[in-house]
Amino acid sequence: MVVVTSSRPFEDTLNALVAGVKHRQVEVFSLVDHAANALAVGLTLDRTTVVTFGAGKAGTPLMQAHQTLGLDLPLRALVYETAEGEVRIAYREPRNTLKGQGVAADDFPSVRGMSAMLAAVSAEAAGGKIE
């Protein structure tokens, strides 16, 4: 897992991440606000939002070759605020995800692009460092 510490407030980080994905003409499929979902059932959780996004031209060939990759696609990034008030972005490195399913990432040119895009949008959104 890659974790990037943000120098921005939570909402600014989340909005910048979404904007960075859209700027690259990658579709944002959903935002899942885990904190709001917790509140709806009478529980509390620090701000925790998952952003799912992807492009059919990149992900579909992977799933055509290995349908179980549909468990890990579309891509997702987690924006969260720790109890200490630190805002972070976390995501799984696509090459490691494929490796975990026994798939050689080098067989698919799109994986390099996915990795680069995740790193770039996370760094831009956070204005921080990769841990």
Side-chain angles (χ1 to χ4, degrees), residues 17-31 51-58 73-77 117:
L17 181 78
V18 169
V21 169
K22 288 180 177 179
H23 177 73
R24 287 165 173 80
Q25 299 179 335
V26 174
E27 186 173 353
V28 174
F29 296 115
S30 67
L31 276 71
V51 181
T52 59
F53 50 92
K57 286 188 177 189
L73 295 172
L75 297 174
R76 58 193 57 107
M117 191 262 306

Side-chain angles (χ1 to χ4, degrees), residues 26-82:
V26 174
E27 186 173 353
V28 174
F29 296 115
S30 67
L31 276 71
V32 178
D33 185 338
H34 288 302
N37 292 337
L39 191 59
V41 295
L43 300 171
T44 60
L45 181 67
D46 291 324
R47 293 202 245 185
T48 307
T49 300
V50 176
V51 181
T52 59
F53 50 92
K57 286 188 177 189
T60 302
L62 292 166
M63 290 183 285
Q64 286 173 327
H66 302 277
Q67 213 163 2
T68 57
L69 288 171
L71 285 169
D72 298 303
L73 295 172
L75 297 174
R76 58 193 57 107
L78 175 71
V79 179
Y80 66 102
E81 186 171 34
T82 68

Side-chain angles (χ1 to χ4, degrees), residues 71-126:
L71 285 169
D72 298 303
L73 295 172
L75 297 174
R76 58 193 57 107
L78 175 71
V79 179
Y80 66 102
E81 186 171 34
T82 68
E84 297 77 32
E86 196 169 66
V87 176
R88 297 178 181 163
I89 300 168
Y91 63 90
R92 295 191 192 283
E93 165 53 53
R95 289 176 288 227
N96 294 340
T97 299
L98 269 66
K99 183 179 177 183
Q101 288 205 33
V103 178
D106 292 339
D107 292 347
F108 299 94
S110 62
V111 176
R112 186 175 302 117
M114 289 175 180
S115 295
M117 191 262 306
L118 275 165
V121 296
S122 295
E124 289 169 10

